[in-house]
Amino acid sequence: MMKSADIRKAFLDFFEKKGHQVVPSSSLIPGNDPTLLFTNAGMVQFKDVFAGLEKKSYTTATSCQRCVRAGGKHNDLENVGYTARHHVFFEMLGNFSFGDYFKAQAIAYAWEFITEVLMLPKEKLWVTVHVDDQEAKDIWVQDIGFDPQRISKLTDDNFWQAGETGPCGPSSEIFYDHGENIFGGPPGSADDDGDRYIEIWNLVFMQFDRQVDGSLVPLPKPSIDTGMGLERISAIMQGVHSNFEIDSIANIIQAVAKIIQYDPAALKDANIDDGEKSLRVIADHIRAIAFLMVEGIRPSNEGRGYVLRRIMRRALRHGYKVGSKHAFLSRCLEPLIQEMGDVYPALVQQKAVLVQVIDHEEAQFQQTLEQGMKILMVALDKIKKSGHSELSGDTVFELYDTYGFPADLTADIAREHGFSADMANFEIAMEKQRVRSRANSDFEQDFIVMTDLEGNTKFTGYDTMSDTATIYRLAHGSQSVDTLKLHEQGTLVSQQSPFYGESGGQVGDTGFITTEQGCFQVTSTTRQGQHHIHHGVMILGEISVGERADFNVDQVRRASIMRNHSATHLLDAALRQHLGAHVNQKGSLVEERRLRFDFSHPTPLTEADIQSLEGLINFHILENQAVETEVMSMDDAVAKGAIALFGEKYGDEVRVLSMGLQQTKEEGHFSIELCGGTHVHSTGDIGLFKITSETGVASGVRRIEAVTGLAAFDFVKQLQSEQKRLANLLKTDPTRLFERTEQLVSEIKLSEQALAQAQQKLALYRAIELLEDVEVIAGHKVLIKYVEDLSSQHLKGLVEQLKLKMQEGIILLVIAHGDKVQLCAGVTDGLKFKVKAGDLVKTAALCVGGKGGGRSDFAMAGGKDSSRVHEAVVVAREWVEKSLS
């Protein structure tokens, strides 16, 4: 039996021998497609290559890509556990040709691997082709010798395209026949929705470019994109029908059953008959959870973090459902590491942090689950009694919006109880919320995307901040123009430029582009593919396509940005050294006046941590070591120890920045990272590094803001100025501020104690005065009164004093300051069963346009209409009379 790991290796080895470049799995965070939440196929990292926007040093490639399908168009989350082949996380084997070989070779490779390497019986295979792709069918029949009776011609199922426009083409799928004992017919037949014939490999022949009008234009270099699910082919090779029975997942399921103390007999007694499905959910989801978190994603309420939270909560809910009485999810990491830790060592390296974050999330969810389940079960019970079968979309939305209960989890639970969920109206409610959110946002992206750009902009800004180049394209608004005139805003593209285009967290350059005829002020520079796009406005004359121009970057601004960018690298290295290898960069912003750095860490930094980080970074700044820049292959960069950022897209050759030295030369550089940004020449150019704030931005994610150079000097100067002002105010020397402050705090505490004692005596005296106004209603002492000249800070203490003095009775005091009204009620223990303080204060508060409440023995409320305080007293007294009668 071939294990999953053996199949993965065999596939990559096969195509490597066929001349394919073995390419590592890219990040689960797509680096070149903002429309995708997660990488969901092997071809995602090659999209720009297929589209002709990027060139590689190789023309054929093979990979085993980590994929997640849990959002957007490709969302398998709700099906996981209930079918044999749906997963949130899976691995996709693929081979790719970028204008090298085409249909004949792709089909021949697939046939050879399946029949000669995997040794699958030829009579067990079935093939599909597009109905109009006679060429592919002829290759299968004439070149391969495949039985034409086992080929199906299909339409939409055998045509692939990434979007409404762009590269697309027909495909050919290979199916495996599980045998007559399994229900289902061959692809394209009336009963093809059965499980007898299972697709194992899809060969996509990208040969067209779909235009806006829908027409198909042949691509100059037809390409190949294939995908074969590792889990699916493993099931076939291991003689099982379900992906959850393959070695790498079945072993996790068995371990999960032990961890949660799974007892089928106990579940049967509890009328739970789908416990095995829950085990499958947990085993699948722990894979997705771990791999998403390894890439720095943390549970949150938006974007990828929210999807991760949904996956975690679904796994947790299934664990509780089948009997887990304690925190269990983080313990499921160990069996996953046993199965995949050798191939993906980051699982081992980050285990401690993953455990900490998962445990925290589980503790939070236990409270959410308890509250949400109560509300959901009440709603389902109402549906059952009414004879309906669908949970309303409003209820689904309320559970999500108010209680943090994921909608798919609500639908899951409803389904288990025999009900459907109105997800259509839930989505309507969600869209209304999104509209409200957008209306409250002041963010607006106003950069114009330029189309039909060819070639690339050669960036010369690493070596110079002034250059000359020919203007290649101009645009005014969304229209390409030949000339930009005075005061017109527009965009400019050249064939080379020293202006850095915003990317990698570093803001774009500003400056001036001048010709003999005019001057274009660059207000921002962005990146579009391989082009640097200069955005700005004409401030002098006019400028035209084809003119030679002088490009001058704002050098002072760029120098500040470079200092901050280099300091960011030192900060990243310092955090890893000081806090641990679990630290991952989660985002950064490098501007002229400051830097911002987000990183994964579960707890706030202490003042000692911050001082250590500042000391370590400034040590390397003072060492003034040269910043080394090398361009090398990705493999060489990894071997050198360079840190790559998840979500960033790197080419075959990468730029490696090394700065600072460890204690000994043998230990190498302090910081080694892949980076295309601009940097100082020596660490000493940074000048000074100072952290200005450290905060939390999400669960398990911290943020540091810092300044360097002159901005750091200004920050320290401001601190010193504030110290001197404070010292003058406190009449002491700046060096003795702490001592003087301690002395004042001690004096204030003594004054507060004396004041509290005085206030207590005052309340006692006032209480004695008010006791004269006590009346008897139905045999009980009652004091309901509007009190003048009483501050709000004395109100609560006065009511407590009156309760003690009266021993048995009902109290309501009302005070007013301007329009603001405050009410305070107290009821002694013997009367709480007749009159509750919370009800009394609520009744009186309604008269003064307010609300409030509290316990049965003590309650407070507020109002905003002081003209009705006497009316409130009358209404409250009448209410007490009625309650006591």
Side-chain angles (χ1 to χ4, degrees):
M1 179 186 81
M2 287 186 77
K3 293 183 177 181
S4 301
D6 299 331
I7 298 172
R8 183 193 297 112
K9 185 176 186 303
F11 183 90
L12 297 176
D13 288 349
F14 173 83
F15 281 101
E16 185 175 27
K17 291 176 181 176
K18 299 293 185 181
H20 292 61
Q21 174 72 41
V22 178
V23 179
S25 171
S26 65
S27 169
L28 285 171
I29 305 172
N32 58 346
D33 191 343
T35 66
L36 282 179
L37 200 61
F38 300 110
T39 298
N40 56 23
M43 62 79 61
V44 170
Q45 68 169 307
F46 301 118
K47 269 191 173 183
D48 288 348
V49 183
F50 286 128
L53 299 175
E54 180 184 357
K55 290 185 179 181
K56 296 287 187 180
S57 60
Y58 47 83
T59 57
T60 60
T62 184
S63 69
C64 180
Q65 175 65 50
R66 302 186 302 274
C67 299
V68 164
R69 291 186 177 176
K73 177 182 177 182
H74 299 289
N75 184 5
D76 293 337
L77 186 60
E78 293 180 23
N79 294 318
V80 174
Y82 295 87
T83 69
R85 275 165 288 280
H86 280 101
H87 300 284
V88 174
F89 172 87
F90 62 95
E91 294 180 87
M92 181 71 80
L93 301 166
N95 61 286
F96 310 91
S97 166
F98 314 117
D100 190 289
Y101 60 83
F102 199 44
K103 293 180 185 179
Q105 198 67 54
I107 292 172
Y109 283 151
W111 185 250
E112 181 181 352
F113 181 74
I114 287 178
T115 61
E116 297 183 22
V117 178
L118 299 185
M119 303 292 289
L120 290 180
K122 298 177 182 179
E123 65 276 10
K124 285 280 192 180
L125 302 177
W126 195 283
V127 165
T128 66
V129 295
H130 190 265
V131 66
D132 296 328
D133 193 1
Q134 185 63 38
E135 179 187 6
K137 182 177 180 181
D138 289 344
I139 293 169
W140 277 110
V141 175
Q142 297 171 15
D143 296 0
I144 302 300
F146 195 80
D147 182 357
Q149 299 301 313
R150 297 182 66 82
I151 297 179
S152 298
K153 287 188 171 183
L154 304 178
T155 53
D156 292 343
D157 287 344
N158 280 95
F159 195 91
W160 180 93
Q161 59 186 56
E164 296 298 322
T165 60
C168 57
S171 68
S172 178
E173 297 171 316
I174 302 173
F175 287 73
Y176 181 81
D177 181 359
H178 277 280
E180 296 179 355
N181 59 319
I182 304 294
F183 169 76
S189 65
D191 53 358
D192 66 356
D193 58 347
D195 278 347
R196 176 176 173 179
Y197 293 86
I198 299 300
E199 176 203 338
I200 58 174
W201 205 344
N202 187 20
L203 314 176
V204 178
F205 312 128
M206 285 196 285
Q207 62 186 96
F208 301 113
D209 185 4
R210 187 180 292 277
Q211 305 299 298
V212 175
D213 61 4
S215 61
L216 298 175
V217 176
L219 287 171
K221 293 184 177 180
S223 299
I224 293 294
D225 159 31
T226 82
M228 177 163 61
L230 177 60
E231 291 79 7
R232 286 195 179 194
I233 193 64
S234 295
I236 291 170
M237 294 303 297
Q238 294 172 21
V240 295
H241 189 60
S242 168
N243 290 4
F244 292 94
E245 297 175 38
I246 67 174
D247 60 319
S248 59
I249 301 181
N251 291 340
I252 297 175
I253 290 175
Q254 292 172 9
V256 168
K258 291 180 180 178
I259 289 169
I260 64 175
Q261 298 178 333
Y262 178 69
D263 184 354
L267 294 180
K268 188 175 181 181
D269 293 340
N271 293 320
I272 298 175
D273 58 0
D274 57 355
E276 295 293 330
K277 293 178 182 176
S278 292
L279 293 180
R280 293 198 291 270
V281 169
I282 298 167
D284 171 272
H285 287 10
I286 192 61
R287 302 201 316 163
I289 291 164
F291 280 100
L292 288 172
M293 288 179 63
V294 157
E295 301 209 20
I297 300 172
R298 294 293 182 265
S300 69
N301 288 326
E302 59 184 11
R304 297 182 177 97
Y306 178 63
V307 176
L308 172 60
R309 174 165 283 167
R310 288 172 59 198
I311 296 169
M312 294 175 78
R313 292 186 168 186
R314 191 168 189 263
L316 289 166
R317 211 275 304 179
H318 276 276
Y320 303 150
K321 174 186 172 184
V322 293
S324 180
K325 300 294 191 297
H326 48 72
F328 74 92
L329 191 57
S330 66
R331 296 168 62 199
C332 299
L333 287 170
E334 187 56 40
L336 170 64
I337 289 172
Q338 292 294 325
E339 292 300 319
M340 305 184 74
D342 56 338
V343 181
Y344 301 107
L347 292 171
V348 181
Q349 296 164 1
Q350 297 193 37
K351 179 185 175 185
V353 175
L354 300 189
V355 168
Q356 191 173 20
V357 175
I358 291 173
D359 284 346
H360 176 72
E361 185 69 15
E362 181 161 4
Q364 282 190 319
F365 182 56
Q366 284 175 337
Q367 297 176 349
T368 299
L369 183 66
E370 182 179 352
Q371 190 174 24
M373 282 296 290
K374 288 178 182 177
I375 296 168
L376 179 55
M377 296 314 295
V378 169
L380 293 177
D381 188 54
K382 287 181 179 178
I383 295 173
K384 185 177 181 180
K385 289 178 180 177
S386 68
H388 294 99
S389 61
E390 186 176 65
L391 183 68
S392 74
D394 290 339
T395 301
V396 179
F397 180 76
E398 180 189 4
L399 282 164
Y400 161 78
D401 192 47
T402 307
Y403 302 100
F405 218 66
D408 56 321
L409 189 56
T410 300
D412 221 15
I413 297 169
R415 176 169 55 179
E416 291 170 3
H417 287 79
F419 301 101
S420 61
D422 183 4
M423 301 308 290
N425 278 312
F426 165 75
E427 286 299 334
I428 291 173
M430 281 295 296
E431 183 55 33
K432 288 180 180 177
Q433 186 189 63
R434 294 186 192 107
V435 170
R436 289 193 297 270
S437 177
R438 286 194 292 267
N440 293 330
S441 172
D442 59 2
F443 174 77
E444 184 179 353
Q445 181 71 24
D446 58 0
F447 289 149
I448 302 298
V449 175
M450 301 187 75
T451 58
D452 302 325
L453 292 176
E454 297 180 356
N456 65 284
T457 301
K458 180 183 178 182
F459 178 59
T460 60
Y462 292 133
D463 304 313
T464 182
M465 296 193 207
S466 299
D467 203 354
T468 59
T470 301
I471 298 172
Y472 162 56
R473 284 281 298 278
L474 291 171
H476 178 49
S478 60
Q479 300 295 318
S480 291
V481 295
D482 292 330
T483 301
L484 277 177
K485 298 180 180 179
L486 184 63
H487 303 316
E488 286 185 340
Q489 292 185 334
T491 50
L492 181 155
V493 184
S494 56
Q495 294 175 330
Q496 70 179 39
S497 172
F499 283 76
Y500 182 82
E502 180 175 342
S503 60
Q506 179 178 331
V507 297
D509 281 332
T510 61
F512 298 92
I513 298 174
T514 58
T515 67
E516 292 183 356
Q517 305 299 322
C519 180
F520 180 79
Q521 182 178 0
V522 180
T523 56
S524 181
T525 310
T526 61
R527 292 276 297 275
Q528 182 180 321
Q530 300 300 310
H531 289 279
H532 291 233
I533 312 296
H534 309 84
H535 306 263
V537 61
M538 289 299 302
I539 61 172
L540 182 66
E542 62 182 33
I543 199 167
S544 301
V545 172
E547 283 190 293
R548 197 71 176 168
D550 293 323
F551 288 66
N552 294 286
V553 173
D554 183 334
Q555 298 189 25
V556 174
R557 180 176 180 272
R558 164 76 87 78
S560 296
I561 293 170
M562 292 194 300
R563 282 192 288 268
N564 286 334
H565 201 160
S566 296
T568 301
H569 282 230
L570 293 178
L571 174 59
D572 191 10
L575 285 165
R576 293 173 189 274
Q577 180 170 308
H578 182 71
L579 299 179
H582 66 275
V583 170
N584 276 320
Q585 180 175 336
K586 295 288 294 171
S588 69
L589 176 64
V590 180
E591 296 180 323
E592 176 186 5
R593 294 290 300 173
R594 63 165 181 154
L595 66 91
R596 188 181 74 205
F597 189 80
D598 296 347
F599 59 99
S600 54
H601 187 63
T603 57
L605 302 192
T606 65
E607 184 60 31
D609 289 329
I610 291 174
Q611 290 181 7
S612 295
L613 290 169
E614 287 181 338
L616 185 56
I617 292 167
N618 283 305
F619 168 81
H620 285 287
I621 290 173
L622 290 171
E623 286 288 288
N624 198 27
Q625 295 289 334
V627 174
E628 297 181 10
T629 305
E630 300 173 273
V631 177
M632 60 183 70
S633 70
M634 188 66 174
D635 290 341
D636 288 342
V638 172
K640 185 180 176 70
I643 294 173
L645 301 182
F646 287 117
E648 286 294 319
K649 188 170 182 290
Y650 300 103
D652 301 323
E653 287 195 330
V654 292
R655 193 165 178 264
V656 180
L657 267 292
S658 304
M659 61 181 73
L661 295 175
Q662 297 286 20
Q663 296 297 321
T664 65
K665 289 186 177 181
E666 288 73 20
E667 294 180 272
H669 287 90
F670 177 65
S671 168
I672 309 175
E673 290 192 30
L674 306 185
C675 184
T678 59
H679 289 269
V680 297
H681 297 294
S682 300
T683 56
D685 296 342
I686 297 171
L688 173 66
F689 173 87
K690 187 68 181 171
I691 292 174
T692 57
S693 71
E694 191 276 339
T695 57
V697 291
S699 177
V701 180
R702 308 298 302 174
R703 169 172 292 173
I704 281 178
E705 295 197 20
V707 286
T708 65
L710 290 175
F713 173 75
D714 289 342
F715 179 76
V716 172
K717 185 171 67 174
Q718 180 67 24
L719 286 179
Q720 288 179 328
S721 175
E722 292 297 320
Q723 279 184 325
K724 289 178 180 177
R725 289 179 61 198
L726 185 58
N728 290 335
L729 182 65
L730 299 181
K731 295 181 173 57
T732 188
D733 186 89
T735 60
R736 299 183 63 248
L737 270 176
F738 182 77
E739 180 183 339
R740 176 61 175 149
T741 303
E742 271 193 322
Q743 179 186 351
L744 287 174
V745 168
S746 178
E747 293 174 1
I748 291 171
K749 284 182 179 179
L750 290 174
S751 298
E752 287 175 343
Q753 290 171 3
L755 180 61
Q757 291 172 358
Q759 288 173 344
Q760 190 174 8
K761 288 179 181 180
L762 180 62
L764 178 60
Y765 293 145
R766 199 66 189 271
I768 293 172
E769 289 179 3
L770 290 172
L771 285 174
E772 296 178 2
D773 297 322
V774 171
E775 58 184 317
V776 178
I777 299 176
H780 300 289
K781 296 176 184 177
V782 176
L783 176 60
I784 299 177
K785 187 175 178 62
Y786 166 63
V787 184
E788 294 182 304
D789 301 324
L790 183 69
S791 68
S792 59
Q793 63 187 20
H794 297 148
L795 183 60
K796 179 179 178 182
L798 183 54
V799 171
E800 294 292 357
Q801 282 288 346
L802 286 167
K803 284 175 65 179
L804 290 172
K805 291 293 181 182
M806 291 170 64
Q807 295 183 347
E808 186 266 0
I810 300 164
I811 304 153
L812 174 67
L813 299 184
V814 184
I815 65 172
H817 296 283
D819 292 331
K820 187 177 180 182
V821 181
Q822 284 187 283
L823 309 94
C824 185
V827 179
T828 55
D829 290 342
L831 287 173
K832 289 189 296 185
F833 69 98
K834 286 188 175 182
V835 176
K836 291 181 171 56
D839 295 337
L840 172 57
V841 82
K842 188 184 300 182
T843 301
L846 289 173
C847 294
V848 291
K851 57 183 179 180
R855 306 189 307 268
S856 59
D857 64 331
F858 184 86
M860 296 189 74
K864 52 189 177 182
D865 186 358
S866 60
S867 67
R868 300 178 65 191
V869 291
H870 296 292
E871 180 184 342
V873 170
V874 173
V875 169
R877 191 180 185 285
E878 291 175 350
W879 183 84
V880 169
E881 284 181 345
K882 184 177 180 181
S883 300
L884 292 176
S885 61

